[in-house]
Amino acid sequence: MTDNADPDSPREEQRDADLIRQRIAELQLEHRGLDAMIAASGHQPRFDELQLRRLKKRKLRIKDAITLLQMQLVPDEQA
């Protein structure tokens, strides 16, 4: 059996970590975009309160997803 076939090989673990980091970066970009949209809506004379709440909820869900992904990058501690 080669290292390429082993799902726990260092190469596979690095690839998985890279994919997680990439997803975190994508979510952080979306989070910043939502933050800008929320800030801009507060400066509009007439803004949709329901839409604002939806944006804020989406932003919180993204933040939670980022946190969960970041936790996956932290190695488990030995008991």
Side-chain angles (χ1 to χ4, degrees):
M1 184 182 284
T2 65
D3 282 342
N4 292 340
D6 183 3
D8 294 326
S9 72
R11 182 174 288 154
E12 287 294 318
E13 288 178 13
Q14 182 61 43
R15 186 182 65 80
D16 292 345
D18 290 343
L19 290 173
I20 291 171
R21 285 186 193 93
Q22 179 181 351
R23 183 64 181 143
I24 289 171
E26 292 167 356
L27 289 171
Q28 287 172 331
L29 182 63
E30 185 177 355
H31 189 268
R32 284 191 297 271
L34 287 169
D35 200 30
M37 290 174 63
I38 290 167
S41 70
H43 299 295
Q44 295 177 359
R46 295 182 55 138
F47 63 92
D48 184 355
E49 188 68 35
L50 179 60
Q51 181 66 22
L52 181 62
R53 284 196 310 248
R54 288 179 177 159
L55 290 172
K56 287 181 177 182
K57 283 184 180 182
R58 174 72 181 145
K59 184 179 165 190
L60 286 173
R61 283 193 304 271
I62 290 171
K63 184 65 174 173
D64 289 343
I66 290 169
T67 300
L68 290 173
L69 288 169
Q70 288 172 333
M71 288 172 45
Q72 290 180 21
L73 292 176
V74 177
D76 292 334
E77 293 183 19
Q78 296 293 327

